Amino acid sequence: MERAVEHYRTGLELCRSAGEHADEASVLANLAGALRDLGAYEEALATARDALAKATRLGMLRTQAGAHHVLGTVMVELGRIDEARTALESALALSVEAGHPRGRGDALVALSAVHLRQGRFDEAYDRAGRALVLSEETGHALIRADSLLAMAAVEVGRGESGAARAHAEQARALHCQAGCQLGVERADAVLTSLPS
């Protein structure tokens, strides 16, 4: 992830020197996500807000959705659940408006985490299930993997270890196929938390 941050920072410098404002907004949103994944939450929030401001000014719906998604997922990590829900509902609405299935799936998975944090298992499972249906309709393997992992998290909360293991193992296999190390690590964390 450190290499991704370095590449995005280099890309950002190139966009700024060339005056490519649309590309700058997109790179900022991607950089914010990479910073979030490194745990650099305050820098991720500032970068996502910068991306959102630029994307809003340029009318870039997908980039706005991506920036809201980063804001929401960081807020979940910081325990700021009401702010997280607001940002993620914006990400979902913008993704629908833009016709962006990946953005919709990401927002639904993240909203599942919001509901799970509040102990709302049914709502959390519903959002994860909607993301899973979307993945089946669109063929997005990573949305499928993330939705299965979200379902597993809910099942852990409900004490449904068998179902959680099955979903986490499916998610892990999909992340392995895609070469998504972060997804593999998240699946492993769920699997490790389960009784043997």
Side-chain angles (χ1 to χ4, degrees):
M1 203 49 65
E2 290 90 350
R3 287 183 61 197
V5 168
E6 289 174 21
H7 288 307
Y8 288 133
R9 290 194 197 284
T10 300
L12 191 57
E13 290 172 16
L14 292 170
C15 291
R16 287 177 172 160
S17 65
E20 297 290 341
H21 301 296
D23 289 341
E24 179 184 351
S26 296
V27 172
L28 280 166
N30 290 328
L31 173 59
L35 289 165
R36 173 205 56 212
D37 293 343
L38 279 177
Y41 295 139
E42 293 306 320
E43 190 177 359
L45 289 174
T47 305
R49 288 182 181 122
D50 194 8
L52 180 59
K54 287 176 171 49
T56 301
R57 195 165 51 250
L58 296 168
M60 301 170 63
L61 296 180
R62 287 185 180 203
T63 304
Q64 289 175 61
H68 276 295
H69 179 262
V70 173
L71 291 170
T73 51
V74 171
M75 295 300 181
V76 170
E77 294 300 320
L78 296 176
R80 294 159 59 178
I81 300 302
D82 289 337
E83 292 171 87
R85 187 187 311 96
T86 298
L88 292 167
E89 286 173 351
S90 294
L92 181 58
L94 285 160
S95 295
V96 169
E97 185 179 349
H100 184 34
R102 178 64 198 262
R104 284 173 53 205
D106 288 344
L108 286 166
V109 167
L111 282 165
S112 176
V114 166
H115 288 296
L116 182 58
R117 286 283 181 107
Q118 296 178 312
R120 297 177 179 169
F121 296 137
D122 290 345
E123 291 92 336
Y125 206 78
D126 172 74
R127 298 315 180 277
R130 286 169 55 191
L132 183 62
V133 169
L134 178 66
S135 76
E136 291 164 353
E137 292 171 353
T138 61
H140 280 272
L142 288 178
I143 295 174
R144 180 172 177 74
D146 289 341
S147 62
L148 288 167
L149 206 48
M151 293 169 85
V154 176
E155 289 155 352
V156 168
R158 287 176 167 167
E160 299 169 356
S161 298
R165 182 176 303 284
H167 284 138
E169 286 174 348
Q170 290 175 36
R172 189 184 194 286
L174 288 166
H175 279 302
C176 279
Q177 287 174 348
C180 181
Q181 185 59 36
L182 188 59
V184 171
E185 290 170 9
R186 289 175 179 159
D188 285 343
V190 172
L191 290 165
T192 302
S193 74
L194 295 171
S196 51

